[in-house]
Amino acid sequence: MPIRVRSLLTAALLLACSGPVLVTATPARAVVLRGRVTVPSPPAADATFKPYAGRASSLPAPERPARGLVTDTVIYVDSSAVEPPGAPAAEHPQLAQKGQAFDPRVVVVAVGGTVDFPNLDPIYHNVFSVSPPRRFDLGKYPRGQSRSITFQKSGQVNVFCDIHSDMAGFILVVPDRHWTRPAADGSYSLPDLPAGRCRLRAWHPDFPARVFEVEVPAAGDVTLDVSL
Amino acid sequence: MLRVGLRWKILLLTALPLLALAAATLWFVDRGVSARSEENLAGDLRRAADLFENMLSASAAELSVTGAVIVRDPRFFSVLALPHGRHDREFLATVAGVARDFQQLAHPDVFEIVDSRGDVVASVGRMSMVAIGRDTLVTSALAGRAEKRALSQRGAQVLLVGTPVVADDRVVGALLLGREISGALAARLRELTRSEVTFLSDRHITRTTLTEPVDREVARRAASGTVLPDSRPIHDGGWIAQVRPLPMAAEPTQQVYVLQRSLEAETAFLRSVRSHLLELGLLLLAAVTAAALFIAGHITHPIRQLVLAASAMERGEWEARIDRDREDEMGYLATSFDDMRRRQRTYVRSLQEVARAKSEFIAVASHELRTPISIIRGWEDLLRGGLVKPGTPSFVEGLDAIGRACQSLEKIAVSATRMAQSDGSEGPPAPSPCAVEPLLADAVREASAVAPERQVSLTIEVQPEARHAILDRSQVLHALDALIRNGIRFTPDGGSVTVRALASGEDLSIEVRDTGIGLSDEAKARLLDDAYVPHDSRHHHTATGLEFNVAGMGFGLPLVRRVVDGHGGRLIVDGHEGRGSAFTMVFPGARSSGEELGRAA
């Protein structure tokens, strides 16, 4: 159940609690959502992590993408009614297979956007997903080849390799272009927010997502610190 | 009594040790095989239990491996990694589809997928688990620990393996694979180990290969005590049972299994062997008894013959049969006995004969004595009465008559002496080298001295090869004397008696042949009969002389036969009525070269 508060301080305090929060922004000249994302200390590296048993011994050990990075956070407007989908971006984001891992670990694409899956490894990979927003199986293909998938439905798409069970990647299909990812220091800014009430979602592959209700004024900045 | 006794003694001596040996063998074999068989059964049960536990842990290991393979499959864990709500239909349908695909791989009885919240999101196996221990397994799996347990639920026991499902380093759920410890497993185990198998949970039978309620009760009883992994096998109701806790059981004291082997079935072979041995033993007993009876009969038969012959001898019967043909000690004994009996019979008969002859002699002699005595007494009366005067012819006649009477008395005295000597107790002959011709001459002289008035010519013929012999001279002399006197006696005056010594190989024959009245076939047959003693004096040729009567008393021939028998020889009787007769004494091996005589000299 949403809780209405009056001050940012109170909001920030309450953000520690889970659940959607309605934020009333102070009036500003440009509507930019700013803030800082903080994540819990990253989970200790799993000492029992073992590369896929079938790995060719001539290859270097698989890379192990870091977990719990703040940069893997995606903050986006989770409201399909905000704005009709714009023209697809000319440049496709890439979810490469490199060093027996997905690189980057998290790819964000707007609905209607296409993701390329180039194989940069000297071995075959078989990228697939069983996630409801988009189920696909790219089949096995060697180094230098690439496949593309266009995503028409928003949501989280877990991407795995059918050959290498330790590989896991994420494609977050967001409703439109209103999304951002924080810098390494956790600061982020989400410009051009349409005025009015909107629902913001902070998503991270390693932590539960959080939802915020934000009243965007016609002009001015809104500040929202996110603690996952 | 002896006959039965000896036979039964031999029977017992031969049969008893064999029977004792057979019985001891039977007992030892039976005891040894029984103990060994039970030991083997207990060992079999222990091995069967080990085998079953190996099978169970292999089954658990197989489930673990299957689980590990399944949860490592990206197609599997990628589904569980999907974000989902508690009743997300699409998610559940997806998971169920994937679960069915993977269930096809190993067909476990339990195939349950639990999500990270612990909710069952798919259960596609034949069974679904509700047992108490299951939650522990799920909790462990969600904490990242794979575990296996034997659980009991709804009268079934299930081997359950929980495996954590990990995706992108997170435990996204758990996979529960289970296989029922089923009747099929029990049947398979029974097939492999020939043991009846019963699984019990909380003292209730869940699965068993036993069909009879009474046998099931044995399994229940066996499982009712405290069950330890190293429990000894239990004997109960014709069964030997091994109880052990079910490996990996969540409650080891409650979940047990019992392996049973029927002593009845297992010892059937033993019992058949035992009965066969018994049959064999009885057969052996019969065979041994028969053999012992035969052996005892065989050994005691000649002894019985001897015993019968001996008791017959006591009654004065001499004809009891004795088998002399055997070539063993018994044959020797029988032959010796027979020879002894024959000598005894001859001796006894000759004694009887001598006694008879002596009494006859005394009768005849007393009669014969009267004549010369009355002659002497008559002349004495005449002389005393002075009726005959010395110098007269009557006086001379009287003296002559007295002289003849004295001569008669003298002859009677000689005969009496000879008679006294013929007592049948010559004893065994003592052969020594002797010259034959003087022997014959002495015999002729003695014989002729008895009847000097008889006109019978006496001739001696000695073959050159028969001049020397080894004989008991004195005995042979008496025998020869008797034969010659018989010859003289049965030969009318003018006839002849020839005494000849003949050599035939190593044998010496002494023949006394006369030209007398001869022998009828009947008389010859009687003479050849050992028992016959001729004492008939009807054939006295001249009944006037005492010597004839004395000679005719018939004690001569028994003497001859005794002497010949004593020398191991035989008496041959020949002759025809009216044409004379011949008596030949054959002494086997008695001929000698004369060197012995020389040495003896």
Side-chain angles (χ1 to χ4, degrees):
Chain A
M1 185 176 173
I3 304 165
R4 193 176 290 266
V5 291
R6 285 289 168 187
S7 72
L8 271 173
L9 182 63
T10 316
L13 279 172
L14 285 172
L15 278 174
C17 309
S18 58
V21 179
L22 184 68
V23 177
T24 308
T26 50
R29 284 177 291 106
V31 184
V32 177
L33 180 67
R34 294 178 200 280
R36 184 176 291 273
V37 177
T38 53
V39 292
S41 55
D46 185 1
T48 63
F49 174 77
K50 288 190 187 72
Y52 178 56
R55 177 180 71 90
S57 58
S58 59
L59 293 175
E63 283 180 19
R64 181 170 161 76
R67 308 293 153 104
L69 292 180
V70 72
T71 49
D72 282 341
T73 312
V74 181
I75 295 165
Y76 63 98
V77 177
D78 183 18
S79 161
S80 52
V82 170
E83 140 178 334
E91 204 170 313
H92 296 166
Q94 285 195 339
L95 185 62
Q97 297 115 61
K98 187 181 167 193
Q100 294 180 60
F102 285 112
D103 180 38
R105 191 172 171 225
V106 176
V107 166
V108 185
V109 67
V111 168
T114 301
V115 178
D116 291 341
F117 299 88
N119 182 357
L120 306 180
D121 270 343
I123 52 174
Y124 277 83
H125 286 289
N126 184 348
V127 180
F128 77 96
S129 172
V130 291
S131 296
R134 184 70 168 88
R135 296 178 184 221
F136 62 88
D137 187 343
L138 299 183
K140 300 181 182 69
Y141 54 94
R143 177 180 203 161
Q145 290 193 14
S146 181
R147 301 280 191 276
S148 300
I149 293 289
T150 301
F151 295 88
Q152 301 294 0
K153 206 171 154 190
S154 64
Q156 176 187 327
V157 177
N158 295 1
V159 182
F160 297 97
C161 172
D162 198 17
I163 302 173
H164 304 99
S165 59
D166 292 316
M167 289 169 67
F170 299 89
I171 295 171
L172 188 66
V173 185
V174 295
D176 51 28
R177 60 186 174 85
H178 294 105
W179 62 274
T180 187
R181 295 175 72 171
D185 63 355
S187 62
Y188 73 93
S189 65
L190 184 58
D192 299 335
L193 282 181
R197 174 177 285 221
C198 80
R199 182 190 291 180
L200 282 174
R201 187 183 282 267
W203 177 92
H204 192 282
D206 301 321
F207 307 110
R210 296 188 62 99
V211 177
F212 304 93
E213 296 282 344
V214 179
E215 191 69 42
V216 180
D221 289 349
V222 183
T223 302
L224 177 66
D225 286 345
V226 175
S227 182
L228 288 172
Chain B
M1 198 178 86
L2 175 70
R3 188 177 65 179
V4 175
L6 189 58
R7 176 186 279 193
W8 282 103
K9 273 179 199 166
I10 292 172
L11 182 67
L12 289 178
L13 279 175
T14 45
L16 267 187
L18 276 174
L19 288 178
L21 190 69
T25 308
L26 269 176
W27 186 72
F28 273 114
V29 166
D30 186 62
R31 194 160 161 268
V33 173
S34 291
R36 189 62 190 269
S37 158
E38 289 206 3
E39 203 176 292
N40 282 350
L41 274 186
D44 276 2
L45 282 179
R46 276 194 295 276
R47 280 189 291 278
D50 292 345
L51 175 69
F52 166 65
E53 288 173 16
N54 284 345
M55 278 168 73
L56 212 59
S57 58
S59 185
E62 184 203 330
L63 281 179
S64 294
V65 169
T66 306
V69 168
I70 290 175
V71 300
R72 296 270 316 167
D73 195 308
R75 298 280 176 186
F76 182 79
F77 66 71
S78 62
V79 174
L80 266 187
L82 293 176
H84 62 275
R86 270 191 192 271
H87 305 291
D88 189 333
R89 282 189 180 179
E90 191 181 358
F91 172 76
L92 292 179
T94 307
V95 174
V98 170
R100 270 192 291 275
D101 288 348
F102 281 95
Q103 202 265 346
Q104 301 297 321
L105 292 178
H107 292 286
D109 295 320
V110 177
F111 193 107
E112 275 186 20
I113 302 173
V114 176
D115 69 6
S116 54
R117 284 186 289 260
D119 295 338
V120 175
V121 290
S123 176
V124 294
R126 192 172 59 80
M127 308 171 76
S128 55
M129 290 306 293
V130 292
I132 300 164
R134 170 204 177 271
D135 292 343
T136 321
L137 216 59
V138 168
T139 310
S140 293
L142 291 180
R145 292 190 303 275
E147 275 183 13
K148 38 200 165 191
R149 285 278 169 78
L151 301 177
S152 165
Q153 76 166 24
R154 292 191 200 118
Q157 278 164 312
V158 182
L159 189 62
L160 198 64
V161 174
T163 315
V165 183
V166 178
D168 193 31
D169 277 4
R170 281 183 301 128
V171 175
V172 293
L175 173 66
L176 296 182
L177 297 181
R179 214 175 270 292
E180 192 193 348
I181 299 171
S182 62
L185 178 68
R188 170 108 180 100
L189 194 61
R190 183 178 185 275
E191 205 173 277
L192 280 175
T193 64
R194 299 194 297 133
S195 305
E196 300 294 341
V197 186
T198 304
F199 298 113
L200 296 103
S201 176
D202 201 12
R203 291 176 194 175
H204 293 292
I205 291 175
T206 54
R207 294 286 183 269
T208 182
T209 53
L210 292 168
T211 49
E212 297 298 320
V214 61
D215 296 339
R216 293 181 175 202
E217 194 48 46
V218 171
R220 226 193 309 274
R221 270 204 304 278
S224 63
T226 308
V227 179
L228 298 170
D230 55 352
S231 297
R232 303 274 312 156
I234 300 163
H235 286 257
D236 186 9
W239 294 88
I240 178 164
Q242 171 83 59
V243 190
R244 284 203 192 177
L246 201 64
M248 297 172 279
E251 307 137 285
T253 53
Q254 303 297 323
Q255 297 190 58
V256 298
Y257 68 98
V258 182
L259 296 178
Q260 280 168 268
R261 289 281 282 268
S262 164
L263 286 170
E264 188 73 13
E266 295 299 331
T267 54
F269 172 70
L270 182 64
R271 276 182 285 115
S272 115
V273 166
R274 195 182 292 164
S275 75
H276 280 123
L277 278 178
L278 203 64
E279 281 168 23
L280 198 68
L282 288 175
L283 211 64
L284 196 70
L285 172 67
V288 163
T289 308
L293 272 173
F294 175 75
I295 292 168
H298 192 69
I299 292 174
T300 56
H301 172 71
I303 296 176
R304 281 204 313 279
Q305 257 191 354
L306 291 182
V307 169
L308 287 173
S311 55
M313 270 174 72
E314 283 174 7
R315 294 192 302 271
E317 294 166 19
W318 303 89
E319 302 308 318
R321 182 185 143 74
I322 290 178
D323 190 2
R324 298 169 56 113
D325 299 338
R326 294 167 69 111
E327 292 185 350
D328 51 11
E329 290 85 345
M330 292 313 301
Y332 175 75
L333 183 61
T335 308
S336 304
F337 182 84
D338 196 26
D339 292 346
M340 268 165 51
R341 181 173 67 164
R342 191 177 296 170
R343 280 198 293 276
Q344 185 74 11
R345 177 176 57 174
T346 311
Y347 177 59
V348 166
R349 291 223 167 127
S350 61
L351 279 184
Q352 290 168 343
E353 189 54 33
V354 165
R356 187 196 57 77
K358 280 181 178 174
S359 64
E360 275 190 19
F361 173 79
I362 289 163
V364 171
S366 57
H367 168 72
E368 294 283 334
L369 278 172
R370 276 192 208 109
T371 310
I373 288 170
S374 51
I375 290 171
I376 292 168
R377 187 170 289 279
W379 280 105
E380 188 204 1
D381 289 344
L382 288 175
L383 289 173
R384 282 189 190 277
L387 296 175
V388 177
K389 300 291 180 200
T392 63
S394 294
F395 184 78
V396 174
E397 189 189 341
L399 286 179
D400 287 347
I402 288 169
R404 280 195 299 274
C406 286
Q407 218 170 8
S408 292
L409 287 175
E410 213 170 0
K411 280 180 194 169
I412 291 169
V414 168
S415 292
T417 307
R418 192 183 298 276
M419 179 62 69
Q421 286 169 348
S422 298
D423 60 352
S425 59
E426 289 83 3
S432 60
C434 62
V436 173
E437 203 162 351
L439 172 68
L440 266 50
D442 287 354
V444 166
R445 191 170 50 249
E446 284 195 16
S448 61
V450 178
E453 70 279 11
R454 291 293 311 281
Q455 300 300 307
V456 175
S457 75
L458 294 165
T459 319
I460 293 172
E461 289 175 20
V462 178
Q463 273 191 348
E465 296 82 14
R467 277 205 293 265
H468 301 285
I470 299 175
L471 296 165
D472 186 323
R473 193 177 190 277
S474 142
Q475 285 189 8
V476 173
L477 184 65
H478 285 149
L480 201 52
D481 178 35
L483 284 179
I484 295 168
R485 276 193 286 148
N486 272 351
I488 294 169
R489 177 179 142 207
F490 291 110
T491 303
D493 287 347
S496 68
V497 172
T498 311
V499 182
R500 284 194 294 183
L502 304 163
S504 164
E506 291 300 307
D507 301 347
L508 177 77
S509 305
I510 300 174
E511 182 197 74
V512 177
R513 184 177 289 279
D514 62 53
T515 57
I517 57 173
L519 292 165
S520 68
D521 289 344
E522 187 197 356
K524 214 158 42 176
R526 276 205 311 274
L527 283 174
L528 288 171
D529 180 2
D530 281 355
Y532 176 68
V533 180
H535 50 66
D536 186 3
S537 300
R538 284 176 304 171
H539 297 298
H540 289 188
H541 190 260
T542 54
T544 53
L546 180 64
E547 78 285 353
F548 195 91
N549 281 329
V550 168
M553 299 249 170
F555 58 83
L557 215 47
L559 170 78
V560 173
R561 201 176 289 126
R562 269 203 315 278
V563 170
V564 172
D565 281 354
H567 281 80
R570 62 190 192 277
L571 180 67
I572 300 169
V573 180
D574 193 20
H576 299 283
E577 201 156 10
R579 284 189 285 165
S581 54
F583 291 81
T584 310
M585 296 185 289
V586 181
F587 300 104
R591 198 177 72 78
S592 154
S593 59
E595 288 165 14
E596 294 87 345
L597 188 62
R599 275 205 300 274

